[in-house]
Amino acid sequence: MKQYTAPEQTAQLIELGFEKPSSIASVEPLYGMGGISVAKSYSVGELIEMLPGNSSKHIRYVATKRAWVVDVDVLGKSGCAKCYRGAYHAELVDALYDVIVKLKAEGVI
């Protein structure tokens, strides 16, 4: 199971205005230079924290599809709720990323 966003996903979320990630996804030595290269990406926990606070979050694994789905039900200011349904993804981090991008596009977060 992937624990972190891919570099492209990380770059997209930063472009959308999210705070830079704090999780270290990998550390590699820089041979011949005596240093290290640190790659930061969003963790599953950081992605969950990005979901809106005024919502119900449903993270589920659908065994028949062997995929994760993240659904978010948001209570609006007018009192009516709107449901955002995620797509099926084999990795939880990808399902979270997908719904966060949708919510950002809709102006929810």
Side-chain angles (χ1 to χ4, degrees):
M1 175 189 257
K2 286 178 24 182
Q3 299 293 316
Y4 302 98
T5 53
E8 309 82 44
Q9 293 172 324
T10 302
Q12 177 67 30
L13 291 173
I14 292 170
E15 283 179 27
L16 290 174
F18 290 99
E19 214 174 283
K20 290 187 178 182
S22 59
S23 297
I24 297 173
S26 66
V27 177
E28 296 184 22
L30 296 174
Y31 296 104
M33 300 182 84
I36 59 171
S37 171
V38 177
K40 291 192 173 187
S41 294
Y42 297 98
S43 68
V44 170
E46 285 178 293
L47 294 173
I48 290 172
E49 288 178 5
M50 288 180 190
L51 297 173
N54 64 333
S55 65
S56 295
K57 298 132 186 104
H58 307 280
I59 299 172
R60 58 194 164 99
Y61 183 76
V62 181
T64 56
K65 295 192 182 271
R66 295 184 181 174
W68 291 92
V69 182
V70 178
D71 300 326
V72 177
D73 300 330
V74 180
L75 182 61
K77 291 180 183 175
S78 65
C80 65
K82 185 159 184 185
C83 302
Y84 297 90
R85 300 292 174 231
Y88 293 94
H89 292 279
E91 298 288 344
L92 176 56
V93 71
D94 295 332
L96 288 163
Y97 168 80
D98 184 56
V99 77
I100 288 167
V101 170
K102 283 182 186 177
L103 292 171
K104 187 67 173 179
E106 293 276 335
V108 176
I109 52 175

